[in-house]
Amino acid sequence: MNVNPMESASENGGTLPIKKSDPVLVRARTETAGDGGFYFLSNLDQNITVIVQTVYCFKPDRKTSRDNVAGVIKQALAEVLDRFFPLAGNLTVSSDGKLIVECTNRGVPFVEAVADCEMDVVGDITVPDPAMLGELVHTLPGAKNLLETPLLTAQVFQIMISALILSLIKCVLTNH
């Protein structure tokens, strides 16, 4: 994992020591019928397109190795993109002014993160904390609008031995 300099987030006055990799793009494993094509969106998507940030926490089984968790999830994401290939593309505007997905197989940004602490330092993730959410969820720096935001972004966050956090940012489209 290529690691950025140590980052930290405060939680109740403390710090969360985080090491994050640079984002890599995960692409579909196979050539898809959608490569180079367009995915047309519903009328609902034309009016209500939102970005949703989600965080999933898992307590690992003590018998299961955590050595390659990120690699396994990255491989599974590539397999998912074989079927849901529009998520590896990007939003654009058609010649008639409607939102469409350009199926470029550009890829889904994927980040590995590790924190050398216990889960209780992260706090109660059911209570909204924008500073902590900003650490648990990878966002594309510099994206100014929906057209510059990837349709899906993933970050795998390992917290010592106590937890694994998978966070996703997804552009919610009614067709997917």
Side-chain angles (χ1 to χ4, degrees):
M1 165 171 57
N2 294 333
V3 178
N4 288 335
M6 185 69 79
E7 300 177 17
S8 65
S10 62
E11 167 66 16
N12 299 329
T15 60
L16 181 62
I18 299 171
K19 295 178 185 175
K20 290 184 181 182
S21 71
D22 292 326
V24 296
L25 293 176
V26 176
R27 293 181 176 84
R29 295 174 310 142
T30 60
E31 292 291 322
T32 62
D35 281 348
F38 294 96
Y39 187 82
F40 297 92
L41 302 178
S42 71
N43 288 333
L44 183 60
D45 290 326
Q46 300 300 322
N47 296 304
I48 306 171
T49 302
V50 296
I51 301 294
V52 175
Q53 298 179 340
T54 56
V55 176
Y56 305 93
C57 294
F58 303 93
K59 187 171 184 168
D61 181 346
R62 298 222 184 262
K63 298 177 219 165
T64 306
S65 171
R66 296 182 35 154
D67 293 341
N68 192 25
V69 172
V72 169
I73 292 174
K74 193 184 305 180
Q75 181 179 356
L77 177 58
E79 291 176 23
V80 166
L81 292 174
D82 285 345
R83 183 161 171 101
F84 297 97
F85 57 86
L87 292 174
N90 57 287
L91 276 180
T92 189
V93 178
S94 70
S95 59
D96 60 349
K98 294 191 174 204
L99 285 175
I100 57 174
V101 175
E102 185 175 9
C103 298
T104 60
N105 198 18
R106 174 184 66 182
V108 171
F110 183 89
V111 174
E112 294 178 57
V114 177
D116 190 19
C117 65
E118 293 292 331
M119 186 63 187
D120 59 347
V121 174
V122 174
D124 183 358
I125 65 165
T126 63
V127 177
D129 179 355
M132 187 56 65
L133 186 63
E135 294 302 320
L136 299 178
V137 178
H138 174 74
T139 56
L140 185 66
K144 298 178 196 90
N145 59 51
L146 192 61
L147 297 178
E148 296 177 2
T149 303
L151 295 177
L152 180 65
T153 302
Q155 176 171 296
V156 173
F157 197 107
Q158 292 187 52
I159 307 227
M160 277 181 59
I161 301 170
S162 61
L164 171 70
I165 298 174
L166 173 64
S167 63
L168 301 172
I169 299 179
K170 183 178 184 292
C171 181
V172 176
L173 304 172
T174 58
N175 292 339
H176 264 76

